[in-house]
Amino acid sequence: MHMDFDAFVRQIEENRWRVYGTAVYRRGQLLHRWGDTEGLHPVYSAAKSVTAVAAGIAMGEGRLSPETPVLAVLPKAHVSRMSPLQKERFAPITLHRLMTMSVGGFPFRPEGKSWLDAALACPLENSGTPVFCYSNICAYLTGVAVTEAMGQDAGQLIAERILAPLGIESYRLGRCPEGYFYGASNMELSVDGLSRIGQMLLDGGVYRGRRIVPEAFVKAATTVQQMSREGGYGYFFWKYRDGFSINGKWKQKCYVLPKEGLVITYLSDIREDCPELKQSMEKHLLGLE
């Protein structure tokens, strides 16, 4: 496979695409780096993939499972305020359903003084039938479930058991008004930091000889669990070719390609449709036409 990183960078510069920085790793070794790869930038929905890893740690310890009913692991005080009808609507919702975005009826994001109460008040329709419906609430509830199941704030768990072992010292994590880790967005990482997360997943949950998350969970999380109009979706990961990707809404990307041993990351602030950036990456870094 011929890789022309300079041509990729040249197109970024010529088109004035608002890419902060990009990096390419092959089998754990840095091949190429351009721009700001150490500074912090918003990663938006890439935060969901980090939440997935936190849930995988909890599952590896037997604190959670994909089939855990979400109401069984959310704060009892909030669940007790739900009406019998709402509890009935939420009864079929498991962590698997949350992490595959297969719960219809959630708005895009939580709002109000209590995001948890607002989420639990959503009038879910046909909740027993899985249907892809992208919502930040799914990742938010997953993060709250991790906090309750582990007896430790999910943000603290992420800092201590994911970011620190990966050598990621600089980051920002967002929270809801009640203090729970948001789980869906409001996170800042660097290109290098997101690349390390991608590399750990490429290596089956291990980073530099240290197990971060069970390999079985990584396999399940990065395998297609639910189809959508955009393609296959795992546990807060998107299917990409023979591998998967971590995606943020303004062209924050980490592509992980196991067969090629590649991790390709770029962080951007491109708010309009720009398929040309991805096409340039595929042409110059993957040799695709």
Side-chain angles (χ1 to χ4, degrees):
M1 178 182 65
H2 176 69
M3 182 179 294
D4 192 344
F5 185 77
D6 290 340
F8 179 49
V9 169
R10 189 161 55 249
Q11 284 207 319
I12 291 173
E13 294 175 332
E14 289 175 350
N15 289 282
R16 297 184 179 181
W17 292 327
R18 293 185 301 278
V19 177
Y20 297 119
T22 181
V24 180
Y25 290 78
R26 176 179 283 150
R27 297 180 178 88
Q29 300 300 312
L30 177 66
L31 290 185
H32 304 286
R33 173 186 283 157
W34 171 85
D36 178 12
T37 63
E38 297 181 353
L40 294 181
H41 300 284
V43 297
Y44 297 97
S45 287
K48 294 179 175 71
S49 298
V50 180
T51 299
V53 176
I57 291 172
M59 291 180 187
E61 295 186 2
R63 308 290 187 93
L64 294 173
S65 81
E67 301 312 314
T68 299
V70 65
L71 290 187
V73 285
L74 292 182
K76 290 182 173 55
H78 291 266
V79 174
S80 68
R81 291 196 286 269
M82 297 172 68
S83 70
L85 176 59
Q86 275 301 93
K87 289 180 181 179
E88 182 180 340
R89 287 169 168 167
F90 270 79
I93 308 305
T94 61
L95 285 181
H96 173 88
R97 294 280 305 281
L98 291 180
M99 297 176 71
T100 56
M101 297 285 185
S102 59
V103 181
F106 283 133
F108 179 67
R109 62 174 60 88
E111 296 178 346
K113 294 182 179 179
S114 172
W115 290 4
L116 192 48
D117 283 341
L120 294 179
C122 290
L124 305 183
E125 300 294 337
N126 301 317
S127 59
T129 303
V131 56
F132 189 81
C133 183
Y134 195 88
S135 170
N136 283 357
I137 290 177
C138 290
Y140 170 62
L141 292 179
T142 299
V144 174
V146 170
T147 292
E148 295 299 306
M150 296 295 285
Q152 178 186 24
D153 172 69
Q156 183 181 10
L157 182 148
I158 287 168
E160 294 178 358
R161 299 186 60 175
I162 302 174
L163 304 181
L166 269 56
I168 300 173
E169 299 178 351
S170 184
Y171 56 87
R172 294 193 181 98
L173 305 178
R175 297 181 178 278
C176 77
E178 292 173 292
Y180 284 104
F181 169 65
Y182 184 8
S185 188
N186 291 0
M187 179 183 289
E188 294 186 12
L189 293 169
S190 66
V191 170
D192 290 346
L194 188 55
S195 296
R196 292 183 187 192
I197 293 171
Q199 186 65 49
M200 178 269 292
L201 295 165
L202 175 64
D203 291 334
V206 172
Y207 188 77
R208 294 184 177 178
R210 179 172 177 177
R211 169 71 57 193
I212 306 299
V213 64
E215 183 174 12
F217 178 82
V218 173
K219 183 176 180 180
T222 58
T223 299
V224 174
Q225 300 282 351
Q226 176 72 38
M227 292 304 297
S228 71
R229 288 178 297 180
E230 296 82 4
Y233 198 72
Y235 290 152
F236 299 146
F237 291 92
W238 294 91
K239 181 67 176 174
Y240 178 73
R241 302 187 68 79
D242 70 315
F244 58 93
S245 66
I246 300 170
N247 294 5
K249 70 176 179 177
W250 303 134
K251 314 301 185 293
Q252 297 83 35
K253 299 283 187 177
C254 179
Y255 296 100
V256 179
L257 298 165
K259 289 183 180 178
E260 295 85 354
L262 285 174
V263 175
I264 300 171
T265 305
Y266 50 81
L267 296 183
S268 315
D269 184 25
I270 302 175
R271 305 195 176 200
E272 62 276 6
D273 190 30
C274 184
E276 295 83 6
L277 175 59
K278 180 181 177 182
Q279 291 165 2
S280 179
M281 180 279 292
E282 292 180 330
K283 177 179 178 179
H284 297 300
L285 304 188
L286 301 181
L288 303 175
E289 293 295 339

